[in-house]
Amino acid sequence: MPAEHAAASAAELVRRAGEDRELTREAGAAPTPERRRRVVECRRDNAEALAALVRRHGWPATDLVGPAASTAALTILLHATDLRFRLRCRDLIARAAADGRCPAVHLAYIADHCAVELGEPQYYGTRIDPVSLRPCPIRRPETVDERRQDVGLGPLEEQMRALRLRG
């Protein structure tokens, strides 16, 4: 990807993720059907834009678009509704993480997201059930903290303690 296109793509990803964050905040603060509709439309448009970028250039890894834009791309991906697209990107992110082109924690989030959507246990404990405020089922929970440490996440109990304090 040429440098000028990488810079423009990076700015667009950050802008789109910021818009999603702002619309979601507004919808959470004062929920209305119109605000919820705007969030859904924003996420659909963002996913379409990300899909077009991925088709042309592959996953927007940190080495191409920088850390903020790569994280923005992950945020957009996590909100995308097309599971096949998320699975395809999960595999691209896995390769980028293995090559050191994006943080391994990005793989942890999308791997867990996809596993839960497929009805499988997650690997890293990043997905929390919004009703129980407990982690969704975890594969081999006795070793989850080792896997979390490998990708730069703290112990699961620390994440849960922080969640309880915020909740």
Side-chain angles (χ1 to χ4, degrees):
M1 177 183 318
E4 64 276 358
H5 191 212
S9 295
E12 182 71 7
L13 288 166
V14 169
R15 183 195 65 75
R16 285 179 175 278
E19 180 183 18
D20 180 339
R21 193 170 32 259
E22 181 60 24
L23 290 172
T24 301
R25 186 194 61 72
E26 289 172 2
T32 66
E34 173 63 17
R35 285 184 170 165
R36 285 191 291 274
R37 183 190 61 73
R38 290 180 63 206
V39 170
V40 168
E41 287 177 358
C42 173
R43 289 179 175 178
R44 182 198 61 227
D45 293 347
N46 287 353
E48 289 172 4
L50 179 60
L53 180 67
V54 168
R55 275 192 304 277
R56 284 191 310 270
H57 303 288
W59 181 252
T62 302
D63 65 326
L64 293 175
V65 295
S70 187
T71 298
L74 177 67
T75 299
I76 292 167
L77 180 63
L78 291 172
H79 293 161
T81 59
D82 183 348
L83 180 58
R84 286 180 299 151
F85 175 61
R86 288 194 314 259
L87 290 167
R88 191 168 70 248
C89 288
R90 179 201 59 192
D91 296 343
L92 295 172
I93 292 168
R95 285 195 289 274
D99 293 343
R101 297 183 312 106
C102 79
V105 71
H106 287 194
L107 177 59
Y109 280 103
I110 191 60
D112 278 359
H113 195 86
C114 290
V116 169
E117 292 299 312
L118 290 168
E120 300 171 356
Q122 60 180 324
Y123 301 91
Y124 302 96
T126 63
R127 290 289 306 271
I128 305 299
D129 180 305
V131 175
S132 69
L133 295 182
R134 298 295 312 154
C136 294
I138 299 171
R139 178 172 286 141
R140 294 190 325 269
E142 67 279 3
T143 58
V144 69
D145 283 336
E146 294 170 30
R147 291 188 300 277
R148 289 174 64 87
Q149 182 178 5
D150 289 345
V151 297
L153 290 169
L156 181 59
E157 186 49 42
E158 284 181 15
Q159 176 184 330
M160 297 312 301
R161 192 174 317 119
L163 182 63
R164 286 190 296 271
L165 290 174
R166 282 196 312 255

Coordinates of all heavy atoms in Angstrom, one line a residue, residues 93-159:
I93 N -5.4 -11.6 10.8 CA -4.8 -11.1 12.0 C -3.9 -12.1 12.6 O -2.8 -11.7 13.1 CB -5.9 -10.7 13.0 CG1 -6.7 -9.5 12.4 CG2 -5.3 -10.3 14.3 CD1 -8.0 -9.1 13.2
A94 N -4.2 -13.4 12.6 CA -3.3 -14.4 13.2 C -2.0 -14.4 12.4 O -0.9 -14.5 13.1 CB -4.0 -15.8 13.1
R95 N -2.0 -14.3 11.1 CA -0.8 -14.2 10.3 C 0.0 -13.0 10.7 O 1.2 -13.0 10.8 CB -1.0 -14.3 8.9 CG -1.4 -15.8 8.4 CD -1.3 -16.0 6.9 NE -2.3 -15.3 6.2 CZ -3.6 -15.8 6.0 NH1 -3.9 -17.0 6.4 NH2 -4.4 -15.1 5.3
A96 N -0.7 -11.8 10.7 CA 0.0 -10.6 11.0 C 0.6 -10.6 12.4 O 1.7 -10.1 12.6 CB -1.0 -9.4 10.9
A97 N -0.1 -11.1 13.4 CA 0.4 -11.2 14.8 C 1.6 -12.2 14.8 O 2.6 -11.9 15.5 CB -0.7 -11.7 15.7
A98 N 1.6 -13.3 14.1 CA 2.7 -14.2 14.0 C 3.9 -13.6 13.4 O 5.1 -13.9 13.8 CB 2.3 -15.5 13.3
D99 N 3.7 -12.7 12.5 CA 4.8 -12.0 11.8 C 5.3 -10.7 12.5 O 6.1 -10.0 12.1 CB 4.4 -11.6 10.4 CG 4.2 -12.7 9.5 OD1 4.6 -13.9 9.8 OD2 3.5 -12.5 8.4
G100 N 4.6 -10.4 13.7 CA 4.9 -9.2 14.4 C 4.4 -7.9 13.8 O 4.9 -6.9 14.2
R101 N 3.4 -8.0 12.9 CA 2.9 -6.8 12.2 C 1.7 -6.2 12.9 O 1.3 -5.2 12.6 CB 2.6 -7.2 10.8 CG 3.8 -7.6 10.0 CD 3.6 -7.9 8.5 NE 2.4 -8.7 8.3 CZ 1.3 -8.2 7.8 NH1 1.1 -7.0 7.5 NH2 0.3 -9.1 7.5
C102 N 1.2 -6.9 13.9 CA 0.2 -6.3 14.8 C 0.2 -7.0 16.1 O 0.8 -8.1 16.3 CB -1.2 -6.4 14.1 SG -2.0 -8.0 14.2
P103 N -0.3 -6.4 17.2 CA -0.2 -6.9 18.5 C -1.0 -8.3 18.6 O -2.1 -8.4 18.1 CB -0.9 -5.9 19.4 CG -1.0 -4.6 18.6 CD -1.0 -5.1 17.2
A104 N -0.4 -9.2 19.4 CA -1.1 -10.5 19.6 C -2.4 -10.3 20.3 O -3.3 -11.1 20.1 CB -0.2 -11.4 20.4
V105 N -2.6 -9.2 21.1 CA -3.8 -9.0 21.8 C -5.0 -8.8 20.8 O -6.1 -9.2 21.1 CB -3.7 -7.9 22.8 CG1 -3.6 -6.5 22.1 CG2 -4.9 -7.9 23.8
H106 N -4.7 -8.3 19.6 CA -5.7 -8.2 18.6 C -6.3 -9.6 18.2 O -7.5 -9.7 18.1 CB -5.2 -7.5 17.3 CG -5.0 -6.0 17.5 ND1 -4.8 -5.2 16.5 CD2 -4.9 -5.2 18.6 CE1 -4.6 -4.0 16.9 NE2 -4.7 -4.0 18.2
L107 N -5.4 -10.5 18.1 CA -5.8 -11.9 17.8 C -6.7 -12.4 18.9 O -7.7 -13.1 18.7 CB -4.6 -12.8 17.5 CG -5.0 -14.3 17.3 CD1 -5.9 -14.4 16.1 CD2 -3.7 -15.1 17.1
A108 N -6.3 -12.2 20.2 CA -7.0 -12.7 21.3 C -8.5 -12.2 21.3 O -9.4 -13.0 21.5 CB -6.4 -12.2 22.6
Y109 N -8.7 -10.9 21.0 CA -10.0 -10.4 21.0 C -10.9 -11.0 19.9 O -12.0 -11.4 20.1 CB -10.0 -8.8 20.9 CG -9.8 -8.2 22.3 CD1 -8.5 -7.7 22.6 CD2 -10.8 -8.2 23.2 CE1 -8.3 -7.1 23.9 CE2 -10.6 -7.6 24.5 CZ -9.3 -7.1 24.8 OH -9.1 -6.6 26.0
I110 N -10.3 -11.0 18.7 CA -11.1 -11.5 17.6 C -11.3 -13.0 17.7 O -12.4 -13.6 17.3 CB -10.6 -11.1 16.2 CG1 -11.6 -11.4 15.1 CG2 -9.2 -11.7 15.9 CD1 -13.0 -10.7 15.2
A111 N -10.3 -13.7 18.2 CA -10.5 -15.2 18.3 C -11.6 -15.5 19.3 O -12.4 -16.4 19.1 CB -9.1 -15.8 18.8
D112 N -11.6 -14.8 20.4 CA -12.6 -15.0 21.4 C -14.0 -14.6 20.9 O -15.0 -15.3 21.1 CB -12.4 -14.2 22.7 CG -11.4 -14.9 23.6 OD1 -10.9 -16.0 23.3 OD2 -11.1 -14.3 24.7
H113 N -14.1 -13.5 20.2 CA -15.3 -13.0 19.6 C -15.9 -14.1 18.7 O -17.1 -14.5 18.8 CB -15.1 -11.7 18.9 CG -16.3 -11.0 18.5 ND1 -16.9 -10.1 19.4 CD2 -17.0 -11.0 17.4 CE1 -17.9 -9.6 18.8 NE2 -18.1 -10.1 17.6
C114 N -15.1 -14.6 17.8 CA -15.5 -15.6 16.8 C -15.9 -16.9 17.5 O -16.9 -17.5 17.2 CB -14.4 -15.9 15.8 SG -14.2 -14.5 14.6
A115 N -15.1 -17.4 18.5 CA -15.4 -18.6 19.2 C -16.8 -18.5 19.9 O -17.6 -19.4 19.7 CB -14.3 -18.9 20.2
V116 N -17.1 -17.4 20.5 CA -18.4 -17.3 21.2 C -19.5 -17.2 20.2 O -20.5 -17.9 20.4 CB -18.4 -16.0 22.1 CG1 -19.8 -15.7 22.6 CG2 -17.4 -16.2 23.3
E117 N -19.3 -16.5 19.1 CA -20.3 -16.5 18.0 C -20.6 -17.9 17.4 O -21.7 -18.2 17.0 CB -19.9 -15.5 16.9 CG -19.9 -14.1 17.4 CD -21.3 -13.6 17.8 OE1 -22.3 -13.8 17.1 OE2 -21.3 -13.0 18.9
L118 N -19.6 -18.7 17.4 CA -19.7 -20.1 16.9 C -20.2 -21.1 18.0 O -20.4 -22.3 17.7 CB -18.4 -20.6 16.4 CG -17.9 -19.9 15.1 CD1 -16.4 -20.3 14.8 CD2 -18.7 -20.3 13.9
G119 N -20.5 -20.6 19.2 CA -20.9 -21.4 20.3 C -19.9 -22.3 20.9 O -20.1 -23.3 21.5
E120 N -18.6 -21.9 20.7 CA -17.5 -22.6 21.2 C -16.9 -21.9 22.4 O -17.1 -20.7 22.5 CB -16.4 -22.7 20.1 CG -16.9 -23.5 18.9 CD -15.9 -23.4 17.7 OE1 -14.8 -22.7 17.9 OE2 -16.2 -24.0 16.7
P121 N -16.1 -22.6 23.3 CA -15.5 -21.9 24.4 C -14.4 -20.9 23.8 O -13.7 -21.2 22.8 CB -14.8 -23.0 25.2 CG -15.3 -24.3 24.6 CD -15.9 -24.0 23.3
Q122 N -14.3 -19.8 24.5 CA -13.2 -18.8 24.1 C -11.9 -19.2 24.7 O -11.8 -20.1 25.5 CB -13.6 -17.4 24.5 CG -13.8 -17.3 26.1 CD -14.2 -15.9 26.4 OE1 -13.8 -14.9 25.9 NE2 -15.1 -15.8 27.5
Y123 N -10.8 -18.6 24.2 CA -9.5 -18.9 24.6 C -8.9 -18.0 25.7 O -8.1 -18.5 26.5 CB -8.5 -18.8 23.4 CG -8.9 -19.7 22.2 CD1 -9.7 -19.3 21.2 CD2 -8.4 -21.0 22.1 CE1 -10.1 -20.1 20.2 CE2 -8.8 -21.8 21.1 CZ -9.6 -21.4 20.1 OH -10.0 -22.2 19.1
Y124 N -9.2 -16.7 25.6 CA -8.5 -15.8 26.5 C -9.4 -15.1 27.5 O -9.0 -14.3 28.3 CB -7.9 -14.7 25.6 CG -7.0 -15.2 24.6 CD1 -7.4 -15.5 23.3 CD2 -5.6 -15.5 24.9 CE1 -6.5 -16.0 22.4 CE2 -4.8 -16.0 24.0 CZ -5.2 -16.3 22.7 OH -4.3 -16.8 21.8
G125 N -10.7 -15.4 27.5 CA -11.6 -14.8 28.5 C -11.9 -13.3 28.3 O -12.3 -12.6 29.2
T126 N -11.9 -12.9 27.0 CA -12.1 -11.4 26.8 C -13.6 -11.1 26.6 O -14.0 -10.0 26.7 CB -11.4 -10.9 25.5 OG1 -11.9 -11.6 24.4 CG2 -9.9 -11.1 25.7
R127 N -14.4 -12.2 26.3 CA -15.9 -11.9 26.1 C -16.6 -12.2 27.5 O -16.5 -13.3 28.0 CB -16.4 -12.9 25.1 CG -16.0 -12.6 23.7 CD -16.6 -11.3 23.1 NE -18.0 -11.2 23.1 CZ -18.9 -11.7 22.2 NH1 -18.4 -12.2 21.1 NH2 -20.2 -11.5 22.3
I128 N -17.4 -11.2 27.9 CA -18.1 -11.3 29.1 C -19.6 -11.3 28.8 O -20.1 -10.6 27.9 CB -17.8 -10.0 30.0 CG1 -16.3 -9.9 30.2 CG2 -18.6 -10.1 31.3 CD1 -15.6 -11.0 30.9
D129 N -20.3 -12.2 29.5 CA -21.8 -12.3 29.3 C -22.4 -11.0 29.9 O -22.1 -10.8 31.1 CB -22.3 -13.5 30.0 CG -23.8 -13.7 29.9 OD1 -24.5 -12.8 30.3 OD2 -24.2 -14.8 29.5
P130 N -23.1 -10.2 29.2 CA -23.6 -9.0 29.7 C -24.7 -9.2 30.8 O -24.9 -8.2 31.6 CB -24.2 -8.3 28.5 CG -24.5 -9.4 27.5 CD -23.5 -10.5 27.8
V131 N -25.3 -10.3 30.9 CA -26.3 -10.5 31.9 C -25.7 -10.9 33.2 O -25.9 -10.4 34.3 CB -27.3 -11.6 31.4 CG1 -28.3 -11.9 32.5 CG2 -28.1 -11.1 30.2
S132 N -24.8 -12.0 33.2 CA -24.2 -12.5 34.4 C -23.0 -11.7 34.8 O -22.5 -11.8 36.0 CB -23.8 -14.0 34.2 OG -22.8 -14.1 33.3
L133 N -22.4 -10.9 33.9 CA -21.1 -10.3 34.1 C -20.0 -11.2 34.5 O -19.1 -10.9 35.2 CB -21.2 -9.1 35.1 CG -22.1 -8.0 34.7 CD1 -22.2 -6.9 35.8 CD2 -21.7 -7.4 33.4
R134 N -20.1 -12.4 33.9 CA -19.0 -13.4 34.1 C -18.5 -13.8 32.7 O -19.2 -13.5 31.7 CB -19.6 -14.7 34.7 CG -20.2 -14.6 36.1 CD -19.2 -14.2 37.2 NE -18.0 -15.1 37.1 CZ -16.8 -14.7 37.6 NH1 -16.6 -13.5 38.1 NH2 -15.8 -15.5 37.5
P135 N -17.3 -14.3 32.6 CA -16.8 -14.6 31.2 C -17.7 -15.7 30.6 O -18.2 -16.6 31.2 CB -15.4 -15.2 31.5 CG -15.1 -14.8 32.9 CD -16.4 -14.6 33.6
C136 N -17.8 -15.6 29.3 CA -18.4 -16.6 28.5 C -17.6 -17.9 28.7 O -16.4 -17.8 29.1 CB -18.5 -16.2 27.0 SG -19.6 -14.8 26.7
P137 N -18.1 -19.1 28.4 CA -17.3 -20.3 28.7 C -15.9 -20.2 28.1 O -15.7 -19.7 27.0 CB -18.1 -21.4 28.0 CG -19.5 -20.9 28.1 CD -19.4 -19.4 27.9
I138 N -14.9 -20.7 28.8 CA -13.5 -20.6 28.4 C -12.9 -22.1 28.2 O -13.1 -22.9 29.1 CB -12.7 -19.9 29.5 CG1 -13.2 -18.5 29.7 CG2 -11.2 -19.9 29.2 CD1 -12.6 -17.7 30.8
R139 N -12.2 -22.3 27.1 CA -11.5 -23.5 26.9 C -10.4 -23.6 27.9 O -9.6 -22.7 28.1 CB -11.0 -23.5 25.5 CG -10.2 -24.7 25.1 CD -9.9 -24.7 23.6 NE -11.1 -25.0 22.9 CZ -11.5 -24.5 21.8 NH1 -10.8 -23.6 21.2 NH2 -12.7 -24.8 21.3
R140 N -10.3 -24.8 28.6 CA -9.2 -25.0 29.5 C -9.0 -23.8 30.5 O -8.0 -23.2 30.4 CB -7.9 -25.4 28.9 CG -8.0 -26.8 28.1 CD -6.7 -27.4 27.6 NE -5.7 -26.4 27.2 CZ -5.6 -26.0 25.9 NH1 -6.4 -26.4 25.0 NH2 -4.7 -25.1 25.6
P141 N -10.0 -23.5 31.3 CA -9.9 -22.3 32.1 C -8.8 -22.3 33.1 O -8.3 -21.3 33.5 CB -11.3 -22.3 32.9 CG -11.8 -23.7 32.7 CD -11.3 -24.3 31.5
E142 N -8.3 -23.5 33.5 CA -7.1 -23.6 34.4 C -5.8 -23.0 33.8 O -4.9 -22.7 34.6 CB -6.9 -25.1 34.8 CG -6.4 -26.0 33.8 CD -7.5 -26.6 32.8 OE1 -8.7 -26.2 33.0 OE2 -7.2 -27.4 32.0
T143 N -5.8 -22.8 32.5 CA -4.6 -22.3 31.9 C -4.8 -20.9 31.2 O -4.0 -20.4 30.5 CB -3.9 -23.3 30.9 OG1 -4.9 -23.6 29.9 CG2 -3.4 -24.5 31.6
V144 N -6.0 -20.3 31.4 CA -6.4 -19.1 30.7 C -5.4 -18.0 31.0 O -5.0 -17.2 30.1 CB -7.8 -18.7 31.0 CG1 -8.0 -18.2 32.4 CG2 -8.2 -17.6 30.0
D145 N -4.9 -17.9 32.3 CA -4.0 -16.7 32.6 C -2.7 -16.9 31.9 O -2.1 -15.9 31.5 CB -3.8 -16.6 34.1 CG -5.1 -16.0 34.8 OD1 -5.8 -15.2 34.1 OD2 -5.3 -16.2 36.0
E146 N -2.2 -18.1 31.6 CA -1.0 -18.3 30.8 C -1.2 -17.8 29.4 O -0.3 -17.1 28.9 CB -0.6 -19.7 30.8 CG -0.2 -20.3 32.2 CD 0.0 -21.8 32.2 OE1 0.3 -22.4 31.1 OE2 -0.3 -22.4 33.2
R147 N -2.3 -18.1 28.8 CA -2.6 -17.7 27.4 C -2.8 -16.1 27.4 O -2.3 -15.5 26.5 CB -3.9 -18.3 26.9 CG -3.7 -19.8 26.6 CD -4.9 -20.4 25.9 NE -6.1 -20.3 26.6 CZ -6.5 -21.2 27.5 NH1 -5.8 -22.2 27.9 NH2 -7.7 -21.0 28.1
R148 N -3.4 -15.6 28.4 CA -3.6 -14.1 28.5 C -2.2 -13.5 28.6 O -2.0 -12.4 27.9 CB -4.5 -13.8 29.7 CG -6.0 -14.2 29.5 CD -6.8 -13.9 30.7 NE -6.9 -12.5 31.1 CZ -7.8 -11.7 30.6 NH1 -8.7 -12.1 29.7 NH2 -7.8 -10.4 31.0
Q149 N -1.4 -14.0 29.4 CA 0.0 -13.4 29.6 C 0.7 -13.4 28.3 O 1.4 -12.5 27.9 CB 0.7 -14.1 30.7 CG 2.1 -13.5 30.9 CD 2.9 -14.3 32.0 OE1 2.4 -15.3 32.6 NE2 4.0 -13.7 32.4
D150 N 0.6 -14.5 27.5 CA 1.3 -14.6 26.2 C 0.9 -13.5 25.2 O 1.7 -13.2 24.4 CB 1.0 -16.0 25.6 CG 1.7 -17.1 26.3 OD1 2.6 -16.9 27.1 OD2 1.2 -18.3 26.0
V151 N -0.3 -13.0 25.4 CA -0.7 -11.9 24.4 C -0.8 -10.5 25.1 O -1.2 -9.6 24.4 CB -2.1 -12.2 23.8 CG1 -2.1 -13.5 23.0 CG2 -3.2 -12.3 24.9
G152 N -0.3 -10.4 26.3 CA -0.2 -9.1 26.9 C -1.4 -8.7 27.8 O -1.5 -7.5 28.1
L153 N -2.2 -9.7 28.1 CA -3.4 -9.3 29.0 C -3.0 -9.8 30.4 O -2.3 -10.7 30.6 CB -4.6 -10.1 28.5 CG -5.2 -9.7 27.2 CD1 -6.3 -10.7 26.7 CD2 -5.9 -8.3 27.3
G154 N -3.6 -9.0 31.3 CA -3.4 -9.4 32.8 C -4.3 -10.6 33.1 O -5.1 -11.1 32.3
P155 N -4.1 -11.0 34.4 CA -5.0 -12.2 34.8 C -6.5 -11.9 34.7 O -6.9 -10.7 34.9 CB -4.6 -12.3 36.3 CG -3.2 -11.7 36.4 CD -3.2 -10.6 35.4
L156 N -7.2 -12.9 34.4 CA -8.6 -12.8 34.2 C -9.3 -12.2 35.5 O -10.2 -11.4 35.4 CB -9.3 -14.1 33.9 CG -10.8 -14.1 33.6 CD1 -11.1 -13.2 32.5 CD2 -11.2 -15.6 33.3
E157 N -8.9 -12.6 36.6 CA -9.5 -12.1 37.9 C -9.3 -10.6 38.0 O -10.2 -9.9 38.5 CB -8.9 -12.8 39.1 CG -9.7 -12.4 40.4 CD -11.2 -12.5 40.3 OE1 -11.7 -13.5 39.8 OE2 -11.8 -11.6 40.9
E158 N -8.2 -10.1 37.5 CA -8.0 -8.6 37.6 C -9.0 -7.9 36.6 O -9.6 -6.9 37.0 CB -6.6 -8.2 37.1 CG -5.6 -8.5 38.2 CD -4.2 -8.1 37.7 OE1 -4.1 -7.3 36.7 OE2 -3.2 -8.5 38.4
Q159 N -9.3 -8.5 35.5 CA -10.2 -8.0 34.5 C -11.6 -8.0 35.2 O -12.4 -7.0 35.1 CB -10.2 -8.8 33.2 CG -11.3 -8.3 32.2 CD -11.4 -9.2 31.0 OE1 -10.4 -9.7 30.5 NE2 -12.5 -9.3 30.4

